[in-house]
């Protein structure tokens, strides 16, 4: 069985598991990501994200984030960034409350290839400042991600598979485990600078499980060319 068939099988299995995991399977996740190369060493990324308990209307989370990344030798990428979030969870009485969060973060990513598959490891430290009630949490995150070409090497690279797993842990907290997130999906390159991604996300928390259908759009730019 080749890697294409394996990725499709994993995708179908995960969808089957998610569809029976819990009652709130209409959670949706929309995301836009823009990345720009500033010069040979630095790049800039910005993203916005909206999550809903239903198809669109019942807001769950909204965030904007940005970070500046530097390229070192051997495909090592340290970065610093900031994220602002509006969280709208339900309490035990099924009443919604609004929490705001300011989140500076630091991360380092390592990229390499297994054949044509791009492998990424990302380690991130977050300082989370939350309101309603006020709280401060330091959280550690580790992400492993695979971007798997689904076209033959001789064909134009249009389709790719997405496999990710991320574990998140609290540094100082009674409950150190925060969550584990598994993502499986399909990406479609719509040109050299844009891609559309469709994924299923399963997030296992310390006390609950959430499932999402994710629709994402990516743009990439090379602003360093303007220097020439």
């Amino acid at each position: 069985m080749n890697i294409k068939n394996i990725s499709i099988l994993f995708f179908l299995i995960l969808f089957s598991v998610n569809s029976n995991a819990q009652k709130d399977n209409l959670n949706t996740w929309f995301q836009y990501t823009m990345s720009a190369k500033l010069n040979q060493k630095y790049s800039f990324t910005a993203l916005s994200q909206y999550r809903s308990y239903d198809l669109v209307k019942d807001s769950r989370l909204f965030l904007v984030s940005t970070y500046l990344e530097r390229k070192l030798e051997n495909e090592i990428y340290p970065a610093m960034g900031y994220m602002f979030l509006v969280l709208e969870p339900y309490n035990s009485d099924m009443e919604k409350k609004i929490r705001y969060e300011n989140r500076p973060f630091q991360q380092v990513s390592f990229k390499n290839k297994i054949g044509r598959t791009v492998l990424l490891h990302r380690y991130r430290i977050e300082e989370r400042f939350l309101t309603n009630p006020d709280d401060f949490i330091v959280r550690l995150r580790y992400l492993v991600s695979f971007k798997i070409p689904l076209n033959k090497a001789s064909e134009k690279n249009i389709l790719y598979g997405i496999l990710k797993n991320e574990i998140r842990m609290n540094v100082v907290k009674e409950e150190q485990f925060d969550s584990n997130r598994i993502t499986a999906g399909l990406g479609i390159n719509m040109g050299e600078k844009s891609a559309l991604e469709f994924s299923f996300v399963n997030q296992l928390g310390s006390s609950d499980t959430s499932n999402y259908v994710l629709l994402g759009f990516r743009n990439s730019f090379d602003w360093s060319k303007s220097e020439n």
Side-chain angles (χ1 to χ4, degrees):
M1 182 178 292
N2 60 33
I3 195 167
K4 177 179 179 180
N5 292 332
I6 292 173
S7 61
I8 292 173
L9 178 61
F10 185 90
F11 182 85
L12 293 174
I13 291 173
L14 184 62
F15 172 66
S16 177
V17 171
N18 283 352
S19 64
N20 293 284
Q22 65 173 47
K23 62 182 180 180
D24 63 339
N25 282 301
L26 287 178
N27 289 339
T28 50
W29 178 328
F30 301 96
Q31 181 167 307
Y32 173 74
T33 306
M34 185 277 288
S35 59
K37 180 180 178 181
L38 303 179
N39 53 43
Q40 294 301 316
K41 291 184 177 181
Y42 289 96
S43 62
F44 169 82
T45 298
L47 67 88
S48 60
Q49 187 182 113
Y50 175 78
R51 301 184 208 169
S52 175
Y53 288 101
D54 56 12
L55 186 60
V56 175
K57 294 182 180 180
D58 193 2
S59 176
R60 182 169 186 160
L61 176 151
F62 173 76
L63 69 83
V64 290
S65 177
T66 183
Y67 61 88
L68 182 67
E69 186 174 64
R70 178 171 180 175
K71 182 179 180 180
L72 303 179
E73 294 181 358
N74 300 318
E75 297 295 313
I76 300 174
Y77 299 83
M80 295 183 64
Y82 169 78
M83 187 180 300
F84 174 75
L85 303 92
V86 181
L87 310 167
E88 299 188 49
Y90 284 100
N91 59 25
S92 58
D93 297 324
M94 294 305 295
E95 296 178 344
K96 186 178 285 191
K97 66 176 182 178
I98 297 179
R99 304 189 73 188
Y100 298 101
E101 179 179 344
N102 291 281
R103 185 190 300 177
F105 61 87
Q106 306 80 42
Q107 68 182 38
V108 60
S109 302
F110 303 87
K111 299 178 183 178
N112 53 56
K113 285 188 175 183
I114 303 174
R116 295 168 56 224
T117 297
V118 178
L119 171 63
L120 179 141
H121 299 274
R122 188 189 72 192
Y123 301 86
R124 177 180 287 186
I125 303 173
E126 300 175 326
E127 297 81 36
R128 305 180 63 196
F129 298 87
L130 296 112
T131 66
N132 192 26
D134 291 345
D135 199 3
F136 173 70
I137 304 169
V138 176
R139 187 166 68 178
L140 306 179
R141 301 171 61 160
Y142 166 65
L143 169 73
V144 57
S145 171
F146 297 87
K147 183 178 179 181
I148 308 165
L150 298 181
N151 299 100
K152 295 180 180 179
S154 58
E155 298 176 342
K156 189 175 181 180
N157 185 21
I158 297 177
L159 298 177
Y160 58 91
I162 301 165
L163 291 177
K164 300 179 183 180
N165 189 74
E166 183 178 40
I167 185 168
R168 305 188 290 183
M169 302 291 293
N170 299 311
V171 174
V172 181
K173 202 76 172 176
E174 291 183 6
E175 181 64 58
Q176 290 187 326
F177 175 75
D178 181 276
S179 58
N180 189 80
R181 180 183 293 164
I182 299 173
T183 303
L186 179 70
I188 305 171
N189 287 316
M190 303 177 68
E192 295 182 358
K193 297 182 179 181
S194 60
L196 182 67
E197 297 181 344
F198 178 79
S199 304
F200 292 97
V201 182
N202 172 262
Q203 182 168 305
L204 173 65
S206 58
S207 59
D208 60 359
T209 300
S210 300
N211 301 280
Y212 298 89
V213 175
L214 188 157
L215 180 63
F217 190 79
R218 294 180 176 273
N219 278 131
S220 60
F221 304 95
D222 189 351
W223 292 347
S224 65
K225 293 180 178 180
S226 63
E227 297 180 352
N228 299 328

